[in-house]
Amino acid sequence: MTLLDVAGLRTEFATPTRAVAAVDGLSFQLRPGEILGLVGESGSGKTVACRSLLRLLPSRRARIAAGTVMFENRDLMRLSEAEMRVVRGRDIAMIFQNPASHLDPVFTVGDLIAEPLIWHFGESRRAARKRAVELLRQVGIPDPAGQIERYPHQFSGGMKQRVMIAAALACEPKILLADEPTTALDVTVQAQILRLLLDLRDRTGLAIVLVTHDIGVVAETCDSVVVLYSGRVMECGGTQDVLTRPRHPYTRGLLDSLPTTAARGAELPSISGYPPPLDRLPQGCRFHPRCRFAIDRCRREPIELETVDDGHASACVRWREVMEVGP
Amino acid sequence: MNDLLVDVRDLSVRYTLSRSFADLLRRKPGRELAAVDGAHLAIRKGEAVGLVGESGSGKSSLGRALLRLTPATGEVRFDGTDVLRQDRRSLLAYRKRAQMVFQDPLASLNPRFKVGEALAEVLRVHRLTRREEIPGRVAALLDTVGLDTEFADRRPRGLSGGQCQRVGIARALAVEPEFIIADEPVSALDLSIQAQILNLFLRLQREMQLTMLFISHDLGVVHHLCQRVAVMYLGRIVEEGPADEIFYHPKHPYTQSLVEAMPRVEFPKGRRELPRLEGEPPSPADKPPGCAFHPRCPHVMDACRQDPPPSIRRVGAAATACHLYPETEKA
Ligand SMILES: Nc1ncnc2c1ncn2[C@@H]1O[C@H](COP(=O)(O)OP(=O)(O)O)[C@@H](O)[C@H]1O
Ligand SMILES: Nc1ncnc2c1ncn2[C@@H]1O[C@H](COP(=O)(O)OP(=O)(O)O)[C@@H](O)[C@H]1O
Ligand code: SF4
Ligand SMILES: [Mg+2]
Ligand SMILES: [Mg+2]
């Protein structure tokens, strides 16, 4: 059963001369209880993709140019703004890298959590507050009843992220979009938050789109993964398939760049060069200028995703050879 | 040991917290915070030592103190001379031998200078190169850090994160230092770019025998690059030893939880549980009594709550400061 079906999503930014696509042809399916990793380096379009799903675009110059996002038999891209407001928060919630800038500092954490309950479900203030305490307990905040009168800034980084998760979960959404929720946290606190997300999934069947630039985080938590580069999907599939048998040179290059996979002190077989700026995207495969497998065809024509195995696809013409050569 | 280049003894860095208005009215004295608290650290010539710990543990304060960029007490012996007690002239000479690389090189580069001008300026200030040789030397520096000569004419703002960090490293190398303190130099970079910069640091170590203190919150990075690793928690070095020892056989419970918490690309999954270390480090201004780690420690004992752990001592190939290891082993 598919909960969310994204097909051919394309989001453009208007520039003085033309429109450039920050996300181009994103497709994936999410099942209930699935954790899907959206991974890529900065600027690859992870945040724009997430925001596009909820039609919360970062600027007025941005627009969704193509694609469908099917959720419960409706295309979210065609809902009215009023209908979309109901979907946001109640059906699909989003959390961010930096909770501080998304938790309104004038509200107590109790209000932050209770407000959407009152708004979406018309719950009484008292009932909503009781539920807020329960939610804070669920996300592992000690002494929750004593905390609801405090303000977000009085919490540590990890606790703020827990508060944001509690607020996102208030209306029992079916999907959580988590945009780099642990990037700003220390590694021991990151582990706590990842464990919390896994526990929530196991207990409630919550489906999660986990945006991250950290392949280790994907390996630890995700069932499936979509690898983005310059707005295009390079590779997607089951996490273990993609990370142990990468079929795209970019995925392979990322894995080779990990200091923990190389011998200590050995040169890392990294990817040369830098990702291109959005307004100077290369023709053909967007990765070709950095790709050691590139051939003429890669420079000429866009490369489409091709199924390489059950549920595993790669947008590389030379996917068969990716693992056959040394670093 | 005469191959010791840097010998840090009992180093402390204290900051005075600004007083609240209420404190001012009550004439309460400003509170002190010990960002670094009695640290010992030895770095041999040509060695790369990694300094890891969570944010706020005092890594940057320690790094800056080694260059006297922040007031500190204790001793920092560099090639036998105590840097903390040097006069201005010898301090200037010291700063030709020891240099710092920062996480955000853009912040330390003057935006109006072109990259080439910034490097030439360093060469001029330190009177290292004859005027007519400066352009050649700038080109050579750029080449060393893997930048094309055309970068001499670029301004810092137009550079990507990785290119900027290369310029930061070139600037530190301009004075031909023996010792480099790199403070989270790859933390803001994407994985593929991080790998390029790590390769650059490895090459510098190999080809120039640079001595290095490499500060990072990423144990994986530090393990890859460094021969020895020191682990900091709330201002104290709680464990120190050979990189493999710290990575594969950590002794201190905090190091153990750092190692466990590292997300890994290892399969099959699910057999390895994410660690259960609870809580977050408190502020160094409210350090718990006894062992500062005790509120989070899975092995906490009565002694940990009451007494500070004994000072750092040898346990096997490493050294640690923890009540779990009371007996001093014979070396
Ligand atoms: N408000 C905006 N205006 C113009 N371009 C933007 C804006 N937000 C993002 N972009 C561009 O869209 C691309 C994708 O950005 P983003 O989704 O934030 O990447 P990621 O989250 O993967 O780091 C980048 O090239 C970025 O420069
Ligand atoms: N200039 C300063 N004044 C007051 N406190 C400071 C100053 N610099 C750092 N601190 C405090 O000292 C502690 C250690 O900081 P720092 O050395 O930057 O740690 P790290 O680099 O490990 O993150 C932190 O609690 C920080 O808030
Ligand atoms: S001294 Fe005690 S509390 Fe501190 S880390 Fe060791 S065992 Fe834990
Ligand atoms: Mg982002
Ligand atoms: Mg720091």
Side-chain angles (χ1 to χ4, degrees):
Chain A
M1 190 183 96
T2 300
L3 185 59
L4 189 74
D5 191 346
V6 181
L9 186 67
R10 177 181 168 96
T11 305
E12 295 177 347
F13 285 98
T15 72
T17 49
R18 65 203 166 94
V20 293
V23 174
D24 186 15
L26 174 66
S27 303
F28 66 83
Q29 280 137 29
L30 186 70
R31 282 170 283 116
E34 177 177 350
I35 304 185
L36 177 137
L38 205 52
V39 65
E41 298 181 276
S42 50
S44 58
K46 306 182 296 294
T47 297
V48 170
C50 258
R51 290 180 156 271
S52 300
L53 298 180
L54 284 180
R55 289 172 36 195
L56 291 169
L57 293 175
S59 118
R60 293 180 55 189
R61 293 186 297 120
R63 98 189 160 94
I64 292 163
T68 54
V69 178
M70 298 304 294
F71 174 75
E72 297 185 334
N73 297 320
R74 295 184 299 170
D75 180 2
L76 298 185
M77 299 300 107
R78 311 177 72 115
L79 295 187
S80 70
E81 185 49 36
E83 290 170 311
M84 201 61 212
R85 262 201 297 275
V86 176
V87 172
R88 283 182 209 128
R90 207 182 79 181
D91 295 319
I92 307 179
M94 187 160 175
I95 60 173
F96 306 88
Q97 172 173 348
N98 186 353
S101 53
H102 293 274
L103 291 170
D104 196 330
V106 302
F107 290 109
T108 63
V109 306
D111 289 333
L112 282 168
I113 300 172
E115 216 49 53
L117 288 169
I118 298 168
W119 195 87
H120 282 294
F121 297 122
E123 279 193 21
S124 74
R125 186 153 292 277
R126 262 193 60 176
R129 300 280 279 194
K130 245 183 89 182
R131 178 101 177 93
V133 173
E134 183 44 41
L135 280 159
L136 288 174
R137 187 190 322 280
Q138 266 187 40
V139 298
I141 292 194
D143 178 28
Q147 306 295 330
I148 59 167
E149 296 303 338
R150 295 177 70 203
Y151 291 88
H153 71 262
Q154 295 173 304
F155 289 80
S156 67
M159 286 297 159
K160 265 193 218 118
Q161 196 55 278
R162 287 177 197 265
V163 169
M164 192 151 80
I165 293 172
L169 296 181
C171 300
E172 298 181 4
K174 301 194 175 75
I175 301 173
L176 180 68
L177 308 178
D179 190 0
E180 311 237 17
T182 61
T183 300
L185 303 176
D186 281 314
V187 57
T188 59
V189 183
Q190 161 168 286
Q192 295 167 13
I193 299 294
L194 293 179
R195 165 182 298 285
L196 171 63
L197 291 178
L198 286 169
D199 285 349
L200 286 168
R201 185 271 302 270
D202 294 345
R203 276 208 320 264
T204 66
L206 181 70
I208 302 174
V209 175
L210 182 64
V211 170
T212 177
H213 63 273
D214 188 331
I215 320 186
V217 168
V218 172
E220 294 285 359
T221 51
C222 297
D223 306 300
S224 55
V225 58
V226 174
V227 182
L228 281 180
Y229 183 80
S230 285
R232 297 276 299 181
V233 176
M234 298 287 112
E235 183 167 8
C236 58
T239 302
Q240 186 167 346
D241 288 342
V242 171
L243 298 189
T244 56
R245 284 184 301 280
R247 297 297 187 204
H248 195 286
Y250 178 60
T251 317
R252 161 106 198 249
L254 285 181
L255 289 162
D256 283 347
S257 299
L258 285 171
T260 37
T261 42
R264 207 169 74 72
E267 175 143 344
L268 300 166
S270 73
I271 308 169
S272 64
Y274 306 91
L278 206 48
D279 55 354
R280 260 174 285 153
L281 293 176
Q283 293 288 313
C285 170
R286 290 184 180 180
F287 184 59
H288 90 250
R290 303 178 70 191
C291 182
R292 61 198 179 100
F293 291 86
I295 52 175
D296 266 355
R297 185 175 157 202
C298 314
R299 301 183 186 99
R300 267 197 330 259
E301 56 193 77
I303 310 297
E304 301 299 330
L305 274 175
E306 181 182 342
T307 301
V308 302
D309 203 348
D310 214 13
H312 186 171
S314 161
C316 173
V317 290
R318 299 189 64 189
W319 63 264
R320 284 182 185 82
E321 296 149 80
V322 167
M323 285 311 283
E324 316 239 293
V325 297
Chain B
M1 256 191 294
N2 50 10
D3 64 341
L4 213 57
L5 185 64
V6 185
D7 187 8
V8 177
R9 293 185 198 165
D10 201 22
L11 182 76
S12 293
V13 176
R14 293 192 182 80
Y15 301 112
T16 308
L17 295 176
S18 49
R19 288 182 290 175
S20 71
F21 188 62
D23 286 346
L24 284 173
L25 284 181
R26 289 193 218 105
R27 300 183 183 235
K28 270 205 191 160
R31 276 206 304 158
E32 268 204 347
L33 165 163
V36 181
D37 192 3
H40 294 261
L41 190 66
I43 308 177
R44 280 186 280 273
K45 280 199 177 94
E47 187 177 53
V49 172
L51 186 61
V52 289
E54 291 175 286
S55 51
S57 57
K59 306 181 296 297
S60 296
S61 299
L62 190 151
R64 287 198 306 265
L66 297 196
L67 280 191
R68 252 176 88 175
L69 299 173
T70 196
T73 59
E75 276 178 41
V76 176
R77 296 199 167 272
F78 183 84
D79 215 0
T81 315
D82 188 353
V83 171
L84 299 187
R85 284 164 193 79
Q86 267 174 337
D87 59 23
R88 277 194 66 85
R89 264 211 16 224
S90 21
L91 186 61
L92 221 65
Y94 168 58
R95 291 210 178 129
K96 264 190 222 176
R97 302 179 66 187
Q99 281 284 312
M100 194 136 181
V101 173
F102 298 94
Q103 170 171 353
D104 178 14
L106 207 52
S108 57
L109 289 170
N110 188 331
R112 280 172 320 178
F113 280 6
K114 291 180 182 159
V115 167
E117 292 167 348
L119 295 176
E121 177 70 12
V122 178
L123 297 172
R124 261 195 302 274
V125 167
H126 287 278
R127 298 211 184 88
L128 286 161
T129 314
R130 274 188 298 170
R131 178 172 288 275
E132 61 275 18
E133 285 168 5
I134 285 181
R137 177 85 182 110
V138 166
L141 278 168
L142 288 174
D143 184 55
T144 306
V145 298
L147 289 175
D148 206 84
T149 326
E150 56 122 351
F151 277 93
D153 291 324
R154 303 265 296 266
R155 276 173 221 283
R157 273 199 48 187
L159 304 183
S160 71
Q163 292 163 342
C164 240
Q165 193 51 278
R166 288 179 196 270
V167 174
I169 295 168
R171 206 177 57 154
L173 294 178
V175 302
E176 297 181 37
E178 295 152 64
F179 178 44
I180 282 197
I181 300 168
D183 191 356
E184 309 257 13
V186 297
S187 303
L189 304 178
D190 276 313
L191 187 57
S192 69
I193 312 301
Q194 166 178 299
Q196 296 171 8
I197 301 294
L198 292 180
N199 285 342
L200 173 58
F201 275 112
L202 283 169
R203 220 186 66 222
L204 296 177
Q205 264 182 58
R206 230 180 14 244
E207 291 172 8
M208 304 183 171
Q209 283 80 47
L210 270 182
T211 307
M212 202 153 71
L213 180 68
F214 191 95
I215 299 175
S216 174
H217 64 276
D218 187 333
L219 192 51
V221 163
V222 156
H223 171 256
H224 183 68
L225 206 65
C226 302
Q227 290 90 55
R228 303 183 71 82
V229 174
V231 182
M232 250 182 130
Y233 189 78
L234 280 182
R236 284 181 173 268
I237 291 177
V238 295
E239 183 162 1
E240 189 273 332
D244 275 339
E245 194 65 21
I246 302 289
F247 202 70
Y248 296 112
H249 312 285
K251 299 286 183 304
H252 195 281
Y254 176 62
T255 317
Q256 291 170 350
S257 24
L258 269 189
V259 173
E260 277 173 15
M262 279 181 54
R264 287 161 203 260
V265 185
E266 281 170 8
F267 294 94
K269 274 291 159 199
R271 321 14 43 199
R272 196 179 81 83
E273 284 269 290
L274 284 165
R276 297 223 168 250
L277 182 69
E278 301 294 335
E280 292 172 56
S283 152
D286 302 297
K287 242 181 254 186
C291 169
F293 186 58
H294 89 252
R296 302 175 75 194
C297 182
H299 304 288
V300 58
M301 307 168 290
D302 278 347
C304 311
R305 299 190 182 89
Q306 285 146 21
D307 310 317
S311 60
I312 191 158
R313 64 174 75 183
R314 277 196 70 136
V315 179
T320 186
C322 169
H323 283 301
L324 287 174
Y325 307 94
E327 300 283 308
T328 313
E329 284 184 20
K330 290 265 184 318

